[in-house]
């Protein structure tokens, strides 16, 4: 199966494609439980509305070499479940989370605390006892032991009630959905239960809170989870943590979007959770579809040329730009416009226009139209005003006038006064260097009328358009070269941003 189909086709070297048995060298038991003939319904995955169940279902699908959970055949489902169980056994046999190969066992505490996999008493038990206990924990309950109720997630017949040991409750200890006294928990069918058991394969594991990326865009889920599972399989085999850190959890979403080929049809959710006894936690960060799609497109041709400038616009001395961009995308996309504006105007007080102005300005305007749904006619009006102001500054060829404009950026009254004054100067200019007014009545309304909801944004875009047009006109005051050379060190890329541009993280 190709990557275009959503899953990577690399064969599993440890599992036989013919019978799902694992080698003795792996130290695993070779015979999977075969429940297909007993109850086919309990061997078929169904996607539910629970984000973590969906992440686990996609992880199982990848382990079973199917393009989607619904297309995972019962026999392949059994092999994938067997694989998950045997990995749990192998991690349990490590016994000590502090050992060199104890990371997978340590991670299990954030998913299945107090389970047979990581029980404190395992340190005193022999391997057979631990292995039997873990397999019994994961075994399908017999028909006579199942409740006559439906699975709360998919509506099929439940095989039992399951609580914290099997299902991350995914809530803080202040608001968690605890079960009533004497009640075992959620009624689940076996496929939904097994999806939760496979959840760690689809998460970014840290040893503490885990990070799951979720979307209602199914191709995005298939491709993103296939890369995540493939990497976790290698880490599980080693029993060690991912040596590559990430500068911030939100950056995982940017990496996933960067690798996604097709148009996104839904937004992206970042779930950071822990089921550990020391405190259940849950954070959900949501990135809406328009900004997710804009970011995906912005890191790919033809817009990709401006993406390094977008990262530089969000970088600070102690934080790479990819972190600032990811956080703005999740929390407040309109701040991206502000970051771009500040970056483009940062040197105007010295009369310098950055070389990457044109590419970043185009990204900024595309954001206002595609994400912020700004009216195209209003954008055109602002850009026209910006072009007129830039033409006047070019005619003046004065770094001093550019600095005066820059000084008005934080105070709308000063900007209004500056524009009105230069508007009159241009109209009275007998040399006729500028055709028409710098700013029309309608443009003044868009920029300064308090009843215009986004007038502050219009003013930011005006400055962006002025700088963009000056760059196109080749505006270079006499002292530009000297100042640019003195500030060369400020353009050095942040190491984490260089890594992001190279696509390091999967």
């Amino acid at each position: 199966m190709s990557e275009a189909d959503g899953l990577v086709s690399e064969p599993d070297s440890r599992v036989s494609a013919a019978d799902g048995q694992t080698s003795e060298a792996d130290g695993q038991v070779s015979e999977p439980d075969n429940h297909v003939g007993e109850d086919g319904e309990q061997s078929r995955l169904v996607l539910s509305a629970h984000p973590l169940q969906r992440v686990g279902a996609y992880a199982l699908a990848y382990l079973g070499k199917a393009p989607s959970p619904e297309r995972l055949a019962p026999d392949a489902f059994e092999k994938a479940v067997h694989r998950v169980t045997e990995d749990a056994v192998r991690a349990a046999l490590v016994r000590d989370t502090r050992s060199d190969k104890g990371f997978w066992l340590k991670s299990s505490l954030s998913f299945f605390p107090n389970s047979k996999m990581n029980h404190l008493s395992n340190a005193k038990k022999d391997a057979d006892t631990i292995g039997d206990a873990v397999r019994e924990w994961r075994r399908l309950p017999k028909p006579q032991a199942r409740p006559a109720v439906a699975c709360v997630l998919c509506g099929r017949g439940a095989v039992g009630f399951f609580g914290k040991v099997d299902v991350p409750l995914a809530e803080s200890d202040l608001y968690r959905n605890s079960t009533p006294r004497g009640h075992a928990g959620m009624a689940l069918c076996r496929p939904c239960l097994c999806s939760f058991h496979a959840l760690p394969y689809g998460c970014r594991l840290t040893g503490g809170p885990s990070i799951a990326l979720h979307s209602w865009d199914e191709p995005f889920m298939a491709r993103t989870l296939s890369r995540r599972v493939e990497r976790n399989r290698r880490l599980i085999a080693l029993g060690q943590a991912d040596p590559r850190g990430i500068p911030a959890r939100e950056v995982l979403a940017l990496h996933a979007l960067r690798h996604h080929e097709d148009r996104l049809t839904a937004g992206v959710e970042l779930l950071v959770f822990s089921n550990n006894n020391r405190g259940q936690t849950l954070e959900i960060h949501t990135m809406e579809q328009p900004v997710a799609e804009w970011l995906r497109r912005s890191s790919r041709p033809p817009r990709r040329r401006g993406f390094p400038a977008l990262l530089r616009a969000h970088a600070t001395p102690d934080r790479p730009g990819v972190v600032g961009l990811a956080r703005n995308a999740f929390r407040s996309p309109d701040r991206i416009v502000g970051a771009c504006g500040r970056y483009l105007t940062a040197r105007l007080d010295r009369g310098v226009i950055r070389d990457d102005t044109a590419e970043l300005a185009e990204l900024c305007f595309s954001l206002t139209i595609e994400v912020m749904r700004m009216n195209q006619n209003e954008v055109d009006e602002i850009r026209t005003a910006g072009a007129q102001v830039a033409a006047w500054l070019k005619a003046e060829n004065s770094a001093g006038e550019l600095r005066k404009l820059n000084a008005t950026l934080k105070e709308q009254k000063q900007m209004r006064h500056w524009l009105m004054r230069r508007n009159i100067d241009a109209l009275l200019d007998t040399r006729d260097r500028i055709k028409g007014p710098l700013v029309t009545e309608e443009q003044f309304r868009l920029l300064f009328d308090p009843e215009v909801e986004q007038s502050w944004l219009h003013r930011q875009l005006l400055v962006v358009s002025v700088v963009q047009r000056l760059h196109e006109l080749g505006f270079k005051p006499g002292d530009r070269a000297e100042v640019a050379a003195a500030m060369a060190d400020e353009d050095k890329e942040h190491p984490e941003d260089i890594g992001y541009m190279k696509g390091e993280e999967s």
Side-chain angles (χ1 to χ4, degrees):
M1 189 169 299
S2 69
E3 291 190 7
D5 292 323
L7 294 173
V8 180
S9 60
E10 181 179 334
D12 182 351
S13 61
R14 298 194 300 134
V15 179
S16 165
D19 57 15
Q21 296 180 356
T22 52
S23 67
E24 294 181 358
D26 292 327
Q28 299 180 5
V29 177
S30 60
E31 288 296 335
D33 292 334
N34 186 357
H35 303 288
V36 179
E38 180 184 336
D39 191 343
E41 183 182 71
Q42 296 296 341
S43 298
R44 289 189 180 278
L45 285 171
V46 173
L47 289 173
S48 73
H50 196 304
L52 297 182
Q53 185 269 343
R54 285 167 50 82
V55 171
Y58 271 101
L60 273 179
Y62 181 77
L63 292 172
K65 299 180 172 56
S68 68
E70 292 91 342
R71 294 172 64 181
L72 181 65
D75 58 343
F77 170 84
E78 295 299 337
K79 293 174 183 174
V81 170
H82 175 70
R83 171 66 176 272
V84 171
T85 300
E86 293 307 313
D87 281 345
V89 171
R90 187 166 59 173
L93 294 178
V94 174
R95 296 182 177 83
D96 186 356
T97 60
R98 295 167 296 182
S99 74
D100 292 340
K101 296 185 177 182
F103 182 73
W104 190 236
L105 182 62
K106 179 181 179 183
S107 298
S108 73
L109 293 169
S110 295
F111 292 90
F112 320 112
N114 293 340
S115 71
K116 300 298 182 183
M117 182 178 178
N118 49 45
H119 200 276
L120 291 176
S121 63
N122 284 354
K124 301 177 181 178
K125 296 177 182 176
D126 61 67
D128 289 342
T129 301
I130 295 174
D132 291 344
V134 173
R135 295 186 187 98
E136 182 61 27
W137 163 42
R138 295 290 179 90
R139 197 179 306 281
L140 173 66
K142 296 180 184 295
Q144 57 271 26
R146 304 174 193 173
V149 297
C151 172
V152 297
L153 297 182
C154 70
R156 297 178 297 178
V159 297
F161 294 100
F162 302 91
K164 184 177 179 180
V165 172
D166 295 277
V167 183
L169 297 181
E171 191 52 282
S172 73
D173 53 1
L174 296 179
Y175 305 103
R176 60 178 170 166
N177 45 330
S178 55
T179 55
R181 180 176 299 177
H183 198 284
M186 299 168 64
L188 293 174
C189 67
R190 182 166 176 261
C192 286
L193 174 65
C194 292
S195 296
F196 287 114
H197 289 163
L199 176 61
Y201 293 78
C203 295
R204 181 64 153 84
L205 304 174
T206 69
S210 298
I211 308 169
L213 198 59
H214 173 261
S215 174
W216 299 105
D217 184 306
E218 305 303 344
F220 176 81
M221 285 290 285
R223 294 171 188 174
T224 300
L225 266 297
S226 67
R227 287 190 291 270
R228 179 58 57 198
V229 175
E230 186 61 27
R231 180 153 192 83
N232 278 340
R233 284 174 58 189
R234 293 195 292 269
L235 298 176
I236 291 169
L238 296 172
Q240 298 175 344
D242 192 335
R244 301 181 309 178
I246 53 172
R249 55 190 57 163
E250 294 93 339
V251 175
L252 283 180
L254 262 63
H255 280 288
L257 294 171
R258 184 175 177 79
H259 286 89
H260 191 58
E261 296 285 343
D262 300 328
R263 180 182 181 277
L264 277 171
T265 59
V268 174
E269 292 176 321
L270 197 69
L271 296 98
V272 185
F273 64 96
S274 174
N275 202 30
N276 197 303
N277 285 334
R278 296 184 178 179
Q280 294 77 31
T281 59
L282 172 66
E283 296 177 33
I284 300 177
H285 306 279
T286 301
M287 184 190 298
E288 301 294 337
Q289 185 273 340
V291 68
E293 174 62 13
W294 178 80
L295 280 171
R296 188 193 70 82
R297 294 183 61 193
S298 297
S299 61
R300 310 183 69 80
R303 294 182 177 176
R304 187 169 60 189
R305 289 184 303 171
F307 205 80
L310 186 64
L311 295 179
R312 287 193 288 272
H314 286 83
T316 63
D318 58 351
R319 187 182 69 186
V322 67
V323 174
L325 176 61
R327 289 178 174 171
N328 278 345
F330 273 103
R331 301 171 186 178
S332 185
D334 57 347
R335 293 183 179 175
I336 297 175
V337 177
C340 293
R342 288 190 295 275
Y343 176 79
L344 293 176
T345 59
R347 298 176 175 178
L348 293 188
D349 60 335
R350 286 168 281 186
V352 175
I353 307 295
R354 292 180 183 272
D355 293 337
D356 51 11
T357 293
E359 293 84 359
L360 183 58
E362 282 306 317
L363 274 183
C364 189
F365 279 109
S366 68
L367 176 75
T368 62
I369 294 173
E370 298 172 16
V371 177
M372 305 182 73
R373 305 300 186 190
M374 192 171 168
N375 183 287
Q376 181 66 59
N377 291 333
E378 293 181 352
V379 173
D380 292 341
E381 287 286 351
I382 298 300
R383 300 190 77 163
T384 299
Q388 285 288 82
V389 172
W392 185 84
L393 288 169
K394 172 66 175 177
E396 290 291 317
N397 194 26
S398 167
E401 286 297 336
L402 184 58
R403 292 168 184 164
K404 290 179 182 177
L405 171 62
N406 180 66
T408 71
L409 298 182
K410 295 181 180 179
E411 180 53 60
Q412 64 166 308
K413 289 184 179 179
Q414 293 181 13
M415 177 182 281
R416 181 171 183 164
H417 177 77
W418 189 92
L419 287 173
M420 292 177 66
R421 177 63 184 270
R422 272 65 188 180
N423 216 18
I424 294 173
D425 291 345
L427 291 173
L428 297 179
D429 190 345
T430 57
R431 292 169 291 181
D432 197 25
R433 296 178 300 175
I434 306 298
K435 295 182 179 179
L438 262 64
V439 184
T440 67
E441 182 179 354
E442 172 61 14
Q443 291 160 359
F444 260 112
R445 188 187 70 81
L446 292 174
L447 291 169
F448 302 109
D449 190 334
E451 295 186 0
V452 175
E453 185 177 355
Q454 293 183 308
S455 59
W456 62 271
L457 176 60
H458 296 162
R459 292 193 291 275
Q460 286 185 318
L461 292 178
L462 172 69
V463 177
V464 171
S465 64
V466 169
V467 178
Q468 181 186 27
R469 184 58 181 158
L470 284 175
H471 180 266
E472 293 171 353
L473 294 172
F475 182 73
K476 296 179 180 178
D479 60 347
R480 176 183 182 279
E482 179 182 346
V483 175
M487 294 188 292
D489 288 344
E490 297 178 16
D491 284 336
K492 289 183 178 179
E493 305 283 358
H494 202 288
E496 282 83 354
D497 290 338
I498 296 174
Y500 176 80
M501 296 303 297
K502 292 179 179 178
E504 295 178 359
E505 177 65 34
S506 59

